[in-house]
Amino acid sequence: MGKYPITQGQYQAVMGNNPSHFKGDNRPVEKVSWDDAIAFCQKLSQLTGAQYSLPSESQWEYGCRAGTTTSFSFGDTLTANQATFSGKGQTTDVGTFPANAFGLYDMHGNVWEWCLDTWHDNYNGAPTDGSAWIENDNRSQLLRGGSWDLNPVNCRSSYRYRSARVYRYYYCGFRVVSLPSPGFP
């Protein structure tokens, strides 16, 4: 899983444009739809010869929790020294705040992160192997992590949100996971 959300500089280098409202090469890219994030993964895969994807919801939450069972990877509360939230006015550079125990930054706040899964109201029937739960019926797509404009309760490790896959909001970004090469376990 990517150490940081995809930055504007990375997005510009791969896609040739920067749709973000809050400009800065080291800030997370935002105003990207789920479809844009999928296109980025496909183009990055073509450019590098490696395989990249959005994380499944299960992968995202596992990475966010970093071995904890608390509301946040830092404990049961989230402070202004740990994440950007509660309407701070805009995004911040990735890595501004401490990493969680897995070395992942910005898992709480900054930007909502698109996951590969389609939205389901609950986990009844969800895959048990960590793979994405995808139904190609144009349902809403899943977002995790909260954002710079939300209260901490919406940035909890377990909090889920959904949006139409085509919408481009100034608080939605993404991170990627590297997939094993074919024939490599």
Side-chain angles (χ1 to χ4, degrees):
M1 178 174 286
K3 188 175 182 176
Y4 308 106
I6 295 299
T7 66
Q8 294 174 36
Q10 291 168 320
Y11 195 87
Q12 175 74 40
V14 172
M15 301 303 284
N17 64 52
N18 180 3
S20 300
H21 176 74
F22 302 115
K23 300 293 187 192
D25 281 350
N26 205 36
R27 288 184 182 211
V29 67
E30 22 94 4
K31 290 187 68 178
V32 289
S33 68
W34 183 87
D35 290 329
D36 295 334
I38 293 297
F40 176 92
C41 292
Q42 291 169 342
K43 190 160 184 185
L44 181 63
S45 296
Q46 290 171 345
L47 290 171
T48 64
Q51 294 295 310
Y52 293 93
S53 175
L54 294 177
S56 70
E57 179 180 21
S58 178
Q59 290 170 323
W60 190 96
E61 187 167 336
Y62 180 81
C64 181
R65 287 191 175 281
T68 67
T69 58
T70 54
S71 296
F72 306 94
S73 60
F74 305 111
D76 283 319
T77 59
L78 189 64
T79 71
N81 294 326
Q82 296 167 320
T84 299
F85 59 88
S86 290
K88 297 295 183 194
Q90 58 186 295
T91 60
T92 56
D93 284 357
V94 300
T96 297
F97 298 98
N100 68 17
F102 285 175
L104 302 175
Y105 292 83
D106 300 315
M107 297 299 288
H108 305 289
N110 219 359
V111 291
W112 282 107
E113 296 182 20
W114 291 108
C115 291
L116 193 55
D117 306 61
T118 48
W119 173 263
H120 295 85
D121 290 334
N122 56 53
Y123 296 118
N124 296 336
T128 58
D129 63 358
S131 62
W133 191 7
I134 301 170
E135 294 179 5
N136 294 321
D137 59 3
N138 291 323
R139 289 182 184 217
S140 297
Q141 296 301 136
L142 192 67
L143 292 144
R144 298 297 294 264
S147 76
W148 60 270
D149 70 334
L150 293 173
N151 292 321
V153 69
N154 302 112
C155 299
R156 293 184 331 266
S157 299
S158 63
Y159 195 82
R160 308 168 74 231
Y161 189 63
R162 66 180 171 186
S163 178
R165 64 191 290 167
V166 297
Y167 288 160
R168 294 180 174 100
Y169 297 113
Y170 57 92
Y171 46 77
C172 292
F174 65 101
R175 75 178 66 221
V176 299
V177 294
S178 176
L179 302 175
S181 299
F184 184 79

